[in-house]
Amino acid sequence: MVSRLVIHDDSAFPAPNEVYNWKIYTLAICASMGSAMFGYDSGFIGGAITLPSFVSKFGLGTSSSEQSAALSANILSTFQAGCFFGAIFMSFLAEKFGRKYPLIACGLIFNVGSIVQVASAGSLGMIYAGRALTGLGVGAATLVVPQYISECSPPAIRGRLVGIFETVLQFSQIIGFWINYGVNENISGTSDAQWRIPFALQFAPGTLLVILMLFHPESPRWLIKTGDTDKAIKVLSEVRSLPHDDGYITWEVGSIQQQLQEESELGAARPLGAKLKETMQRGNRIRVILGMSIMMLQNLSGINALNYYSPRIFKSIGFTGTSVSLLATGVFGIVKAVTTLIFMCFGIDTLGRRKPLLIGSVGAIIAMFYLGAYSKVSGSFNHTVAQDGGAYVAIIMIYIFAVFYAISWNGIPWVFCAEIFPTGIRSLCLLFTTCTQWLGQFIIVYSTPYMMTNITYGTFFFFGSFLIFGALVVFLFMPETKGLSLEEMNVLFNIKGFAITQRKKADEIIASQRAAENVVHLKDGTEYSNVEGA
């Protein structure tokens, strides 16, 4: 019986069975502790600032609704501001020092920020400073983790491996959601331990990232780019579980060198100004604009409003009480995380990137417009409403949104951006897309409390409208990238036309190139077979 985990290898030379081993999955999981820092923060902070002990300690209970909205926006958005600048700093560090050691530095900076927050004794200034530092670490990590995993991955399972980044993020969010619920239920609201425990647990993912990355290698593509080909061959041999002189290792190294040579001839090895000029060439310019658009549209889907302000959103549709809203938030996290895990294991390298985005957008649009309509008709933003059938359907719609979002806008933008850029300017291009991600988060996280205060139910219609726009962008301009090697993206994105025809034309060109390459390798006596991975 054919397994759903069969690996469909459409790369230029299908990889031997040994390539799909436990080492490459372990590498992806360990590097994804960088996304665990992000996930835990986005999961715990929205609920933590509503805990009675935090409200009392930091004097939030005496604030008006507008002052409360401002304080929430400031506490949460300081993190996003730190992330924005962290991504900028990391783009230069990753080029000069590689991927491994800058990732370790991310964990250390994140831990310092966590300590500053826990040490705060009623000082909002220390909370702001600590969140800015944790933001620096997370923003830097989200730039380099998908890049590092992508550069170490075989093409056939690259989507699945980069998807581990998002899967770990989602399960870390669950931990954050439920930690809040646990301390609210079991620790007195008059005890500082109630708010300090969730803040202190930030230390766990940062420490794991530092320790685990010590046992993993540098990116082979970065090593080849810096001229250390022998070490790159050693790394590839280790993570692929193949001998140094295996034909597949030789082909993989040769493909990377060929792309780097082509990029060097086009000026990618020149200074920053020249690299910026390189990103503006047609094939690269399209990729950068599309990647930035997808990242911004991910935030405009409304997910970060739900992640950071879900307790308040659940209250807005009639579910009152800190415990009730935290419980509903925890269930929301579980639904989103489990769906993400299933999709990343079975869907992303089978269905691809484009089709799930379109399907997921439809479901999310329906959910958002129902929430807006229910809130308007019931007046739930203005007064407490009965927990009737309409209210329970609203809760279900939030969970439906979680399911459809998880198979679409949740992880695919990160996977897509990690795989489409040329090696020589990948760090610079990822800087643009990652900074767009954090700019989008900053805008949404900062503005959502004001939107919920001033335009109330219109908040859901706002996000629903952008989901419609996002679906149109994907349908018209985002081609399918499943199964292509990082080096074959150049062919795809240099083809003119709309997305629906780009991949078909690219497949024809790549097929002719592969036929020619197969002839050469058959003459050399090199043979590869397409086998099911472990």
Side-chain angles (χ1 to χ4, degrees):
M1 186 173 71
V2 180
S3 167
R4 293 292 293 168
L5 286 174
V6 167
I7 294 167
H8 304 281
D9 193 341
D10 297 321
S11 57
F13 290 108
N17 186 64
E18 292 83 357
V19 167
Y20 307 111
N21 57 71
W22 64 269
K23 296 175 186 176
I24 192 66
Y25 287 95
T26 302
L27 179 148
I29 292 169
C30 292
S32 292
M33 290 303 105
S35 67
M37 301 188 307
F38 177 23
Y40 181 77
D41 182 275
S42 61
F44 99 94
I45 190 62
I49 64 177
T50 68
L51 292 171
S53 59
F54 188 91
V55 170
S56 173
K57 189 71 174 180
F58 293 90
L60 305 183
T62 58
S63 305
S64 66
S65 61
E66 290 188 0
Q67 289 173 325
S68 178
L71 285 169
S72 297
N74 290 337
I75 292 171
L76 272 65
S77 62
T78 303
F79 175 82
Q80 273 72 32
C83 290
F84 181 86
F85 290 104
I88 293 174
F89 296 148
M90 178 53 73
S91 67
F92 299 104
L93 292 174
E95 282 298 290
K96 185 172 179 60
F97 299 107
R99 322 305 189 210
K100 175 179 177 175
Y101 291 105
L103 260 181
I104 292 173
C106 291
L108 294 173
I109 294 169
F110 184 83
N111 282 350
V112 171
S114 303
I115 292 169
V116 171
Q117 292 173 73
V118 174
S120 172
S123 168
L124 281 173
M126 288 186 70
I127 293 291
Y128 293 148
R131 287 192 59 72
L133 285 171
T134 54
L136 280 173
V138 167
T142 55
L143 177 81
V144 77
V145 170
Q147 181 179 8
Y148 174 70
I149 296 174
S150 179
E151 291 179 348
C152 294
S153 301
I157 58 170
R158 186 177 59 245
R160 185 183 303 170
L161 292 175
V162 178
I164 289 174
F165 168 90
E166 184 64 37
T167 304
V168 170
L169 188 156
Q170 296 302 321
F171 279 91
S172 302
Q173 275 188 345
I174 289 180
I175 295 172
F177 289 144
W178 286 99
I179 288 294
N180 284 335
Y181 180 75
V183 296
N184 184 70
E185 287 291 294
N186 298 291
I187 300 178
S188 171
T190 61
S191 171
D192 283 346
Q194 189 190 54
W195 70 266
R196 277 201 164 114
I197 288 173
F199 278 88
L201 286 174
Q202 292 177 96
F203 203 74
T207 302
L208 283 172
L209 178 64
V210 171
I211 294 173
L212 294 176
M213 281 307 300
L214 292 172
F215 298 97
H216 290 285
E218 183 54 79
S219 160
R221 279 178 169 81
W222 182 82
L223 290 170
I224 292 173
K225 183 181 174 183
T226 56
D228 199 347
T229 304
D230 290 341
K231 189 172 182 180
I233 292 173
K234 183 177 179 181
V235 168
L236 283 171
S237 174
E238 175 65 23
V239 298
R240 302 288 188 259
S241 293
L242 293 172
H244 291 194
D245 57 353
D246 187 271
Y248 184 80
I249 299 292
T250 303
W251 168 78
E252 193 168 7
V253 170
S255 297
I256 298 168
Q257 289 175 326
Q258 180 181 353
Q259 189 197 35
L260 288 171
Q261 178 62 33
E262 291 172 355
E263 292 169 7
S264 179
E265 291 171 357
L266 293 172
R270 292 182 294 181
L272 178 60
K275 287 187 176 183
L276 286 170
K277 185 177 180 180
E278 173 74 5
T279 64
M280 292 301 105
Q281 292 189 1
R282 186 187 180 279
N284 295 333
R285 181 178 68 248
I286 291 171
R287 281 181 260 194
V288 171
I289 293 172
L290 184 57
M292 292 173 67
S293 300
I294 295 298
M295 284 296 199
M296 181 59 76
L297 287 165
Q298 182 195 51
N299 283 287
L300 291 169
S301 69
I303 187 59
N304 283 307
L306 286 167
N307 284 340
Y308 287 101
Y309 298 105
S310 48
R312 184 174 175 183
I313 289 172
F314 280 112
K315 288 179 182 178
S316 76
I317 55 176
F319 289 79
T320 58
T322 302
S323 294
V324 173
S325 60
L326 289 176
L327 177 62
T329 297
V331 175
F332 169 76
I334 290 175
V335 171
K336 188 153 60 77
V338 172
T339 307
T340 299
L341 175 62
I342 294 170
F343 176 70
M344 290 301 174
C345 287
F346 301 102
I348 192 162
D349 285 319
T350 303
L351 298 174
R353 291 43 160 164
R354 177 180 160 85
K355 187 184 296 183
L357 270 175
L358 294 172
I359 295 171
S361 294
V362 173
I365 288 164
I366 293 170
M368 273 296 178
F369 275 93
Y370 178 85
L371 290 169
Y374 169 76
S375 300
K376 175 175 169 53
V377 172
S378 68
S380 59
F381 274 91
N382 301 318
H383 56 81
T384 301
V385 297
Q387 293 183 14
D388 56 12
Y392 283 106
V393 172
I395 287 285
I396 292 170
M397 282 296 172
I398 289 179
Y399 298 144
I400 287 175
F401 176 89
V403 169
F404 281 97
Y405 178 85
I407 67 168
S408 55
W409 293 96
N410 198 21
I412 290 177
W414 293 99
V415 173
F416 183 74
C417 289
E419 67 187 358
I420 62 174
F421 299 118
T423 302
I425 55 172
R426 184 170 295 137
S427 290
L428 181 60
C429 295
L430 285 173
L431 171 63
F432 290 132
T433 59
T434 306
C435 282
T436 302
Q437 166 69 214
W438 291 117
L439 178 62
Q441 281 208 33
F442 178 84
I443 292 169
I444 296 304
V445 170
Y446 190 83
S447 61
T448 295
Y450 298 103
M451 293 170 69
M452 293 176 67
T453 299
N454 296 306
I455 65 172
T456 60
Y457 65 84
T459 305
F460 297 115
F461 291 140
F462 174 86
F463 292 131
S465 298
F466 270 103
L467 280 164
I468 294 173
F469 179 71
L472 290 173
V473 169
V474 170
F475 180 77
L476 294 173
F477 303 114
M478 181 178 168
E480 181 56 66
T481 56
K482 179 190 73 170
L484 297 180
S485 72
L486 297 181
E487 290 68 42
E488 289 169 339
M489 297 295 173
N490 288 343
V491 176
L492 177 65
F493 285 97
N494 278 294
I495 294 172
K496 296 181 180 180
F498 289 112
I500 198 167
T501 60
Q502 274 181 294
R503 181 57 191 261
K504 182 178 179 181
K505 293 177 182 177
D507 285 341
E508 293 172 356
I509 296 170
I510 292 169
S512 63
Q513 291 176 343
R514 290 178 183 176
E517 289 172 350
N518 285 335
V519 169
V520 173
H521 283 275
L522 284 172
K523 289 180 179 178
D524 292 340
T526 306
E527 183 177 354
Y528 297 90
S529 61
N530 189 5
V531 293
E532 178 177 333

